[in-house]
């Protein structure tokens, strides 16, 4: 690299002809001389004069430079759709309904106010999106345009028996205490709305994966917390269907809640048995699905009952999840960055492929990066590698380039001499992993490069940790990203966190309450990000 006065105009490289095979050289060049690289000419055409260098921008931290220095590489926002969405309104709970209870940590229901473009009804997105008919995006958004519980008038609810499917699948300790009540708190706004309008709520959920009636999976431990959050005594049925439950429902006063027993105590639930669904539906007059975390399951209580209950509508939590994981991701404020981590590339292929269609910057971390390194010919030591996914990694890199997405891989990693919390560690360049060592976190240079790339963004979605964050020594990269996203949230950037480990990381760092949206779904949010339709959503009435 020759030092020149006019760095902002050109960068000269002296050395072997650059190609992908010379990535280690280029990587080292960036590591040592980042300020010089940062001064590449802002014309994309100058990159094309250096085709090999251009290749590298798709693979290395140059991508962050490209994102900031070459805004033309970022694809323009879908302005028509955004404008349509901005003009629409949020369906608010009706007057006289108690506001959601204060929560220990914000579930982000207030975030609509911070980003007016997200204050939209699902149906308005359908109208806007249909303007770009034919695109995969338009279809995906359109199928998520569902009638909401907020669309029902007070008269539709007063005295009505409402079957409300929530996801109360919470973790319990050995003494049956709830160790994380996030999903319980997330269910409260819809329940309050229903009881505030005089409905009789028949609340139903699964807990765990029981095989038949299993006392440790009873929903009984949920009753005290639900009652506390709702400010009324929640009744509990000992069964899901049958004469005893029917009797309890028949004496329910308006504005009350009856919690059914774990719906998975019946094997018919997961089989989506029509007879079981019919019996469950017969308890109620209408159906509300607020169980986002289970919306990817076509079960009797999430899908089957909609064949017997009209209307079948979405609850507020389900709506909010769709607003962010479909709406904000499909029509993002740009630049839009996606951060994908986790253990294996194989479990994130769908997410990466889908996000490559939408984002401007893609940051990769976690165990999957070593498959990408190996695909580029780097030594990976004892790191996690999926040898049968090397071609896939190469094709994802090519796809990113083709789509003009700035894909960044970490340039340095933290290595361990064994997979253990007390392992010895060292930081090395990503291209210089010695035999016998395994990469368990991204390194400090990568954190800096990722942070500076994120600085440029207006929307960020994060799924999957950057390293083995369960071990303190290897949690630094993940926690740094969590803190960076918290900082960006404070500056008005839309930040969306999905995947149980990324959610756990932001909670551990204590910044969950500042994020725009923390998804309550795990598999469901992953499937939604992959662009899949969720059966529990598809089955609901159209808006
Ligand atoms: N470098 C690495 N080597 C091995 N394992 C890793 C590495 N980096 C992260 N992991 C592990 O990946 C796991 C998380 O991977 P996973 O794909 O399940 O992510 P997730 O998106 O948060 O989870 P999910 O979508 O299932 O909720 C963590 O347990 C973490 O320890
Ligand atoms: O925790 C979850 O992901 C949901 O409650 C769905 O549970 P399941 O994976 O057992 O269907």
């Amino acid at each position: 690299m020759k030092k020149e006065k006019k760095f902002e105009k050109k960068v000269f490289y002296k050395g072997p002809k650059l190609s992908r095979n010379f990535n280690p050289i280029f990587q080292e060049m960036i590591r040592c001389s980042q300020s010089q690289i940062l001064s590449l000419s802002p014309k994309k055409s100058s990159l094309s004069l250096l085709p090999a260098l251009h290749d590298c921008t798709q693979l290395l931290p140059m991508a962050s430079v490209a994102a900031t220095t070459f805004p033309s590489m970022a694809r323009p926002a879908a302005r028509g759709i955004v404008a349509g969405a901005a003009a629409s309104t949020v369906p608010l709970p009706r007057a006289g309904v108690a506001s959601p209870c204060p929560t220990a940590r914000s579930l982000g229901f207030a975030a609509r106010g911070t980003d007016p473009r997200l204050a939209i009804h699902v149906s308005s997105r359908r109208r806007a999106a249909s303007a770009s008919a034919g695109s995969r995006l338009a279809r995906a958004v359109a199928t998520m345009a569902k009638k909401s519980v907020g669309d029902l008038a007070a008269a539709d609810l007063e005295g009505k028996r409402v079957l409300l499917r929530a996801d109360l699948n919470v973790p319990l300790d050995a003494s049956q205490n709830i160790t994380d009540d996030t999903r319980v708190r997330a269910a409260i706004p819809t329940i309050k709305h229903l009881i505030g309008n005089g409905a009789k709520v028949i609340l139903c959920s699964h807990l765990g994966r029981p095989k038949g009636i299993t006392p440790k999976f009873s929903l009984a431990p949920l009753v005290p917390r639900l009652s506390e959050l709702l400010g009324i005594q929640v009744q509990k049925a000992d069964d899901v269907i049958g004469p005893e439950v029917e009797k309890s429902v028949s004496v329910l006063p308006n504005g009350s809640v009856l919690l059914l027993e774990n719906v998975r105590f019946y094997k018919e639930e997961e089989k989506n048995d029509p007879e079981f669904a019919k019996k469950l539906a017969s308890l109620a007059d209408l159906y509300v699905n607020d169980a986002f975390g289970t919306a990817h399951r076509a079960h009797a209580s999430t899908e089957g009952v909609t064949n017997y209950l009209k209307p079948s509508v979405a609850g507020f939590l389900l709506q909010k999840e769709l607003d962010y994981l479909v709406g904000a991701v499909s029509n993002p404020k740009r630049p839009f960055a996606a951060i994908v981590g986790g253990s294996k590339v194989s479990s994130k292929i769908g997410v990466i492929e889908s996000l490559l269609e939408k984002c401007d910057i893609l940051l990769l971390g976690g165990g999957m990066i070593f498959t990408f390194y190996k695909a580029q010919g780097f030594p990976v030591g004892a790191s996690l590698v999926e040898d049968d996914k090397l071609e896939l990694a190469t094709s994802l890199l090519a796809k990113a380039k083709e789509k003009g997405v700035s894909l960044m891989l970490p340039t340095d990693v933290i290595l361990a001499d064994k997979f253990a919390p007390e392992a010895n560690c060292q930081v090395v360049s990503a291209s210089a992993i010695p035999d016998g060592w395994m990469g368990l976190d991204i390194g400090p240079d990568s954190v800096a490069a990722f942070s500076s790339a994120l600085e440029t963004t207006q929307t960020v979605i994060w799924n999957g940790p950057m390293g083995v964050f369960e071990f303190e020594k290897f949690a630094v990269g993940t926690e740094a990203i969590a803190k960076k996203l918290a900082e960006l949230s404070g500056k008005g950037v839309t930040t969306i966190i999905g995947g149980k480990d990324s959610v756990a990381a932001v909670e551990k760092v204590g910044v969950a309450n500042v994020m725009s949206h923390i998804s309550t779904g795990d598999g469901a949010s992953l499937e939604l990000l992959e662009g899949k339709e969720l059966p529990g959503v598809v089955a609901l009435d159209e808006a």
Side-chain angles (χ1 to χ4, degrees), residues 175-344:
S175 313
Q176 298 285 91
N177 298 309
I178 300 170
T179 54
D180 178 355
D181 70 351
T182 304
R183 283 178 165 174
V184 188
R185 288 183 290 109
I188 297 301
T190 298
I191 306 176
K192 281 203 167 186
H193 177 71
L194 292 170
I195 60 179
N197 280 291
K200 302 169 183 180
V201 177
I202 303 159
L203 182 57
C204 133
S205 175
H206 74 286
L207 178 76
R209 292 174 176 174
K211 300 277 170 263
I213 299 171
T214 320
K216 75 168 181 174
F217 290 122
S218 167
L219 285 180
L222 273 296
V223 173
R225 188 66 180 132
L226 276 168
S227 302
E228 186 185 348
L229 291 165
L230 291 168
I232 59 167
Q233 183 57 50
V234 168
Q235 307 299 311
K236 163 81 177 36
D238 293 332
D239 207 334
V240 183
I241 51 170
E244 283 305 310
V245 177
E246 285 163 24
K247 204 167 138 195
S248 302
V249 170
S250 70
V251 296
L252 269 183
N254 291 1
S256 60
V257 180
L258 174 72
L259 176 65
L260 303 182
E261 191 42 283
N262 190 339
V263 71
R264 286 191 185 171
F265 282 179
Y266 283 82
K267 63 180 184 326
E268 291 88 344
E269 158 69 357
E270 289 174 77
K271 290 185 173 156
N272 199 359
D273 179 80
E275 276 311 305
F276 176 72
K278 196 172 178 179
K279 283 182 192 154
L280 186 58
S282 73
L283 297 172
D285 302 305
L286 60 111
Y287 174 69
V288 177
N289 189 353
D290 214 16
F292 174 71
T294 327
H296 59 314
R297 308 284 187 216
H299 291 174
S301 66
T302 59
E303 201 269 347
V305 291
T306 63
N307 294 313
Y308 308 102
L309 284 170
K310 290 285 169 253
S312 289
V313 302
F316 293 127
L317 172 65
L318 187 60
Q319 254 191 296
K320 178 173 181 272
E321 295 271 12
L322 297 176
D323 276 354
Y324 278 92
L325 294 169
V326 180
V329 169
S330 301
N331 305 316
K333 291 183 289 176
R334 291 185 186 274
F336 170 32
I339 311 168
V340 181
S343 53
K344 294 178 173 178

Side-chain angles (χ1 to χ4, degrees), residues 319-478:
Q319 254 191 296
K320 178 173 181 272
E321 295 271 12
L322 297 176
D323 276 354
Y324 278 92
L325 294 169
V326 180
V329 169
S330 301
N331 305 316
K333 291 183 289 176
R334 291 185 186 274
F336 170 32
I339 311 168
V340 181
S343 53
K344 294 178 173 178
V345 65
S346 54
S347 62
K348 298 288 164 82
I349 300 168
V351 173
I352 295 174
E353 284 185 334
S354 173
L355 287 171
L356 278 176
E357 301 286 338
K358 301 170 185 131
C359 69
D360 305 302
I361 301 169
L362 178 60
L363 311 181
L364 296 183
M368 70 176 69
I369 57 176
F370 304 99
T371 301
F372 285 88
Y373 293 151
K374 188 162 179 182
Q376 292 172 63
F378 293 175
V380 292
S383 306
L384 182 65
V385 166
E386 289 174 278
D387 282 312
D388 59 338
K389 294 289 176 287
L390 297 177
E391 272 181 31
L392 170 83
T394 306
S395 75
L396 287 173
L397 294 169
K399 188 169 179 184
K401 184 180 171 191
E402 180 196 316
K403 299 270 170 197
V405 174
S406 299
L407 191 155
M408 290 174 69
L409 284 167
T411 50
D412 60 346
V413 287
I414 304 184
L415 300 181
D417 59 355
K418 59 180 173 185
F419 191 83
E422 73 287 357
N424 292 311
C425 52
Q426 59 169 317
V427 181
V428 300
S429 158
S431 58
I433 300 175
D435 283 352
W437 288 75
M438 61 185 77
L440 295 190
D441 196 6
I442 61 173
D445 289 353
S446 310
V447 168
F450 281 16
S451 297
S452 83
L454 290 170
E455 267 305 320
T456 66
T457 62
Q458 287 301 310
T459 305
V460 184
I461 184 151
W462 181 20
N463 182 291
M466 296 291 98
V468 182
F469 75 110
E470 296 93 335
F471 301 162
E472 238 9 87
K473 277 185 179 175
F474 308 102
V476 179
T478 302

